[in-house]
């Protein structure tokens, strides 16, 4: 009984019980979900290119060795040079016919083997990795892109809790598949399955935050904090994956993520109670209508093209580094740390600052900075030369995401029905389009015309798109919603006047009593 009493008095459980319906606890759940989702998203960035190259290289070496040592016909001999004692063994099909003589082999240049995963040859095999890795990375975003249009309306019908918990379950299975898969096909399947889980978690999580934080400024701050979880996942994922892969092995980082996912699932089960169906009180605007809104499309386009820059960079940069810099395995992931740190800084700073300076201006500056920074990436000669451009890329994307995510909810409040599942499905679709088209097309472009031209193309696209953000400076309200908004504003002002009159009467009565 003493153990149960201690658990009952444990401060964490008491806090969870008291804060069960708190907005802060819901924000914590969304923060952790985005953190784990994006850790799994980015932990594979340094692992997969090196792992697939080593697997393909071993397969190619075994085929080459097999082709160089065919079975000799009966009555003929093969000479096998032993590098151990410098003798030549003559072997035939019959064990009795094998002899060994100290024949001096033909002079050959024997070089010590190098670490192929650290310093591979810049051959066709390495160039082909651009396409394979790009398609694998893009599979998650492609599946998420297909799933999002169904998850958004689903949250309007059954609430946010069940899709959120379903996302955790799918993510857990995907993480285990990554841990124990050794073939390209199974890794591709695990990455695709992650897309379904990410769709459930991100759409339901953002919609839940938008519904519980109804004030525009508070919503911007909350979404900025949630994006901080995304940023931390992006920050921790690559170095965590590369260091664990280098010193422990491929399986270890995914097993650790699986354990963390179980803890997050337990928290969701306790707080959200995902067995309850809680539909929205009013019918939301249809997905098609929202997609026809030009202002929503501009905001979605900003999210898409800004994130497409880092999406193209993720699969192509490690391979370009392997071609030009001969890095260690752990350096392939550490190269992304400046972008991750700056994204975390950008989302936290501009979650508050963007509301004051104007979210349209923050996004416009961010798009220009993304374009300039991404063009400067190929100018680096070593890993240290990547610090400044990668920092600029991450910081600028943080500016765009922390501005455009809240403005999506604001546009729904201003121009449509205030139900947020579908609009954040569109935001997630835009995000996924960047991460679907970016790696798949980026791998092909990098193979055809080179990595520097790939960075130049996406940089110019971001710079050209930036002026469209000016149209979000003062979007007009929907005429049908104007009376409602005016009524709410008038009611608020009337309540303020009544409160002032009440206080004045109270002061007069107090003076009379004295």
């Amino acid at each position: 009984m003493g153990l149960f009493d201690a658990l009952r008095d444990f401060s964490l459980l008491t806090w969870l019980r008291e804060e069960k319906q708190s907005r802060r606890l819901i924000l914590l759940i969304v923060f952790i979900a985005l953190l784990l989702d994006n850790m799994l998203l980015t932990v594979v960035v340094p692992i997969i290119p090196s792992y697939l190259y080593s697997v393909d290289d071993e397969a190619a070496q075994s085929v080459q060795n097999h082709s160089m040592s065919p079975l000799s016909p009966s009555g003929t001999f093969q000479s096998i040079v032993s590098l151990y004692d410098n003798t030549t063994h003559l072997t035939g099909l019959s064990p009795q016919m094998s002899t060994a003589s100290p024949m001096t082999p033909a002079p050959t240049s024997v070089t010590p083997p190098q670490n192929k995963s650290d310093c591979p040859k810049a051959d066709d095999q390495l160039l082909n990795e651009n396409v394979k890795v790009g398609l694998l990375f893009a599979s998650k975003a492609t599946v998420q892109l297909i799933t999002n249009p169904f998850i958004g309306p689903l949250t309007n019908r059954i609430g946010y809790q069940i899709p959120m918990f379903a996302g955790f379950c799918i993510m857990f299975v995907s993480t285990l598949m990554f841990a124990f898969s050794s073939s390209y096909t199974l890794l591709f399947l695990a990455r695709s399955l992650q897309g379904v889980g990410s769709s459930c978690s991100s759409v339901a999580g953002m919609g839940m935050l938008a519904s519980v934080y109804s004030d525009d400024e508070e919503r911007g701050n909350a979404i900025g904090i949630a994006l901080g979880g995304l940023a931390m996942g992006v920050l921790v994922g690559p170095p965590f994956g590369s260091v664990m892969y280098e010193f422990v092995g491929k399986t270890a980082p995914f097993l650790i993520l699986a354990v963390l996912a179980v803890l997050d699932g337990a928290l969701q089960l306790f707080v959200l109670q995902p067995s309850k169906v809680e539909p929205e009180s009013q019918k939301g605007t249809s997905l098609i209508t929202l997609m026809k809104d030009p202002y929503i499309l501009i905001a979605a386009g900003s999210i898409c093209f800004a994130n497409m820059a880092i999406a193209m960079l993720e699969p192509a940069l490690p391979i370009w580094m392997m071609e030009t810099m001969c890095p260690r395995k752990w350096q392939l992931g550490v190269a992304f740390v400046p972008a991750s740190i700056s994204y975390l800084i950008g989302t936290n700073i501009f979650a508050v600052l963007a509301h004051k300076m104007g979210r349209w201006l923050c996004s416009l500056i961010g798009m220009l900075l993304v374009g300039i920074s991404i063009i400067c990436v190929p100018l680096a000669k070593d890993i240290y030369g990547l610090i400044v451009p990668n920092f600029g890329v991450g910081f600028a994307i943080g500016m765009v995401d922390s501005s455009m995510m809240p403005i999506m909810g604001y546009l729904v409040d201003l121009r449509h029905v205030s139900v947020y599942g579908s609009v954040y499905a569109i935001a997630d679709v835009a995000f996924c389009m960047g991460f679907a088209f970016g790696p798949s097309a980026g791998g092909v472009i990098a193979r055809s015309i080179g990595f520097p031209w790939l960075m130049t193309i996406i940089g110019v696209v971001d710079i050209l798109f930036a002026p469209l953000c000016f149209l979000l400076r003062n979007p007009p309200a929907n005429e049908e919603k104007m009376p409602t908004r005016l009524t709410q504003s008038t009611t608020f002002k009337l309540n303020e006047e009544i409160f002032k009159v009440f206080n004045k009467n109270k002061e007069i009565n107090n003076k009379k009593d004295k």
Side-chain angles (χ1 to χ4, degrees):
M1 293 298 292
L3 178 62
F4 289 108
D5 292 337
L7 287 174
R8 192 181 301 113
D9 295 334
F10 186 53
S11 58
L12 177 61
L13 294 178
T14 305
W15 180 77
L16 289 174
R17 198 178 298 114
E18 292 175 353
E19 299 285 332
K20 195 170 183 179
Q21 302 300 324
S22 171
R23 298 188 303 178
R24 290 178 296 175
L25 198 54
I26 292 174
L27 178 57
L28 176 64
I29 290 173
V30 176
F31 178 93
I32 295 174
L34 292 178
L35 170 68
L36 295 178
D37 180 23
N38 286 275
M39 277 192 72
L40 182 59
L41 175 72
T42 57
V43 78
V44 301
V45 169
I47 296 176
I48 295 300
S50 179
Y51 178 75
L52 288 179
Y53 180 83
S54 62
V55 170
D56 292 345
D57 193 52
E58 287 176 6
Q61 290 292 335
S62 64
V63 171
Q64 185 179 3
N65 293 337
H66 182 71
S67 63
M68 291 176 63
S69 304
L71 287 176
S72 58
S74 179
T76 63
F77 300 93
Q78 281 185 283
S79 63
I80 302 176
V81 179
S82 172
L83 298 179
Y84 175 70
D85 55 3
N86 202 30
T87 61
T88 301
H89 297 268
L90 299 178
T91 61
L93 292 178
S94 175
Q96 288 84 3
M97 298 174 64
S98 64
T99 62
S101 62
M103 295 173 59
T104 304
T108 57
S109 59
V110 180
T111 58
Q114 292 181 345
N115 189 345
K116 292 185 176 67
S117 60
D118 287 344
C119 192
K121 305 179 297 295
D123 54 7
D124 290 339
Q125 181 185 336
L126 186 58
L127 293 176
N128 288 333
E129 293 298 322
N130 275 299
V131 180
K132 290 182 64 176
V133 173
L135 290 175
L136 189 145
F137 281 11
S139 62
K140 181 256 185 190
T142 304
V143 172
Q144 193 171 347
L145 182 67
I146 297 170
T147 310
N148 277 333
F150 300 98
I151 300 299
L154 182 66
T155 58
N156 297 339
R157 296 178 182 176
I158 66 174
Y160 302 108
Q161 290 84 354
I162 295 177
M164 190 80 179
F165 189 74
F168 146 73
C169 296
I170 297 170
M171 199 80 63
F172 178 72
V173 174
S174 172
T175 307
L176 292 181
M177 287 186 66
F178 269 117
F180 299 107
S181 298
S182 57
S183 67
Y184 181 82
T185 303
L186 290 177
L187 290 171
F188 190 92
L189 183 60
R191 184 74 168 182
S192 302
L193 189 62
Q194 185 194 353
V196 181
S198 296
S199 178
C200 295
S201 298
S202 56
V203 173
M206 286 296 178
M208 193 184 303
L209 288 181
S211 64
V212 298
Y213 288 92
S214 56
D215 180 72
D216 183 53
E217 186 174 0
E218 288 184 347
R219 180 186 298 157
N221 295 340
I223 290 178
I225 294 172
L227 289 176
L230 186 153
M232 284 189 66
V234 174
L235 167 65
V236 176
F240 172 72
S242 59
V243 171
M244 294 293 287
Y245 179 50
E246 170 89 16
F247 299 107
V248 183
K250 181 181 80 72
T251 304
F254 299 108
L255 291 181
I256 294 174
L257 286 180
V259 172
L260 295 176
V262 169
L263 298 177
D264 177 56
L267 184 62
Q268 289 189 34
L269 199 62
F270 181 80
V271 176
L272 299 182
Q273 296 181 347
S275 59
K276 293 182 178 180
V277 176
E278 298 181 1
E280 291 286 347
S281 58
Q282 54 184 339
K283 186 178 179 180
T285 307
S286 68
L287 193 66
I288 302 297
T289 304
L290 292 176
M291 291 179 67
K292 292 179 180 178
D293 190 319
Y295 298 96
I296 290 178
L297 290 180
I298 292 172
S302 300
I303 296 171
C304 175
F305 289 116
N307 286 278
M308 191 181 293
I310 194 71
M312 286 185 170
L313 196 64
E314 281 184 352
L317 181 61
I319 296 172
W320 180 71
M321 290 172 64
M322 290 163 71
E323 290 177 359
T324 59
M325 301 180 186
C326 192
R328 298 290 302 272
K329 289 177 183 176
W330 62 269
Q331 291 178 329
L332 298 177
V334 171
F336 290 94
V337 170
S340 306
I341 292 175
S342 60
Y343 184 86
L344 180 62
I345 296 171
T347 51
N348 281 276
I349 291 176
F350 290 98
V352 179
L353 191 59
H355 181 75
K356 298 177 180 178
M357 65 182 285
R359 292 194 173 108
W360 67 273
L361 180 59
C362 183
S363 181
L364 190 151
I365 297 172
M367 292 293 289
L368 292 174
L369 187 56
V370 170
I372 296 170
S373 300
I374 206 76
I375 291 173
C376 294
V377 169
L379 302 178
K381 302 301 181 184
D382 52 30
I383 191 172
Y384 302 104
L386 293 170
I387 293 175
V388 174
N390 280 2
F391 188 93
V393 170
F395 189 80
I397 296 175
M399 292 178 67
V400 175
D401 285 355
S402 60
S403 304
M404 291 296 101
M405 285 295 187
I407 217 171
M408 296 290 271
Y410 172 74
L411 289 171
V412 167
D413 288 340
L414 187 68
R415 300 171 57 81
H416 304 280
V417 180
S418 299
V419 177
Y420 306 100
S422 294
V423 76
Y424 282 107
I426 293 174
D428 208 44
V429 163
F431 183 83
C432 294
M433 283 184 68
F435 274 88
F437 180 79
S440 55
V444 176
I445 296 172
R447 182 186 178 187
S448 301
I449 61 177
F451 177 77
W453 278 107
L454 171 66
M455 296 294 99
T456 302
I457 291 171
I458 185 58
V460 170
V461 169
D462 284 334
I463 292 171
L464 293 178
F465 189 89
L468 292 177
C469 297
F470 180 79
L471 299 175
L472 296 174
R473 183 170 61 94
N474 190 21
N478 193 328
E479 293 180 358
E480 295 178 358
K481 295 205 71 174
M482 286 295 291
T484 305
R485 293 179 62 83
L486 288 173
T487 302
Q488 291 175 347
S489 177
T490 305
T491 303
F492 180 75
K493 290 180 180 179
L494 183 61
N495 289 335
E496 281 188 333
E497 294 297 327
I498 292 173
F499 186 71
K500 289 178 181 178
V501 171
F502 175 78
N503 285 337
K504 286 182 180 179
N505 291 335
K506 189 175 181 180
E507 290 176 0
I508 293 172
N509 291 331
N510 289 335
K511 288 179 180 179
K512 287 182 178 179
D513 292 338
K514 290 179 180 179

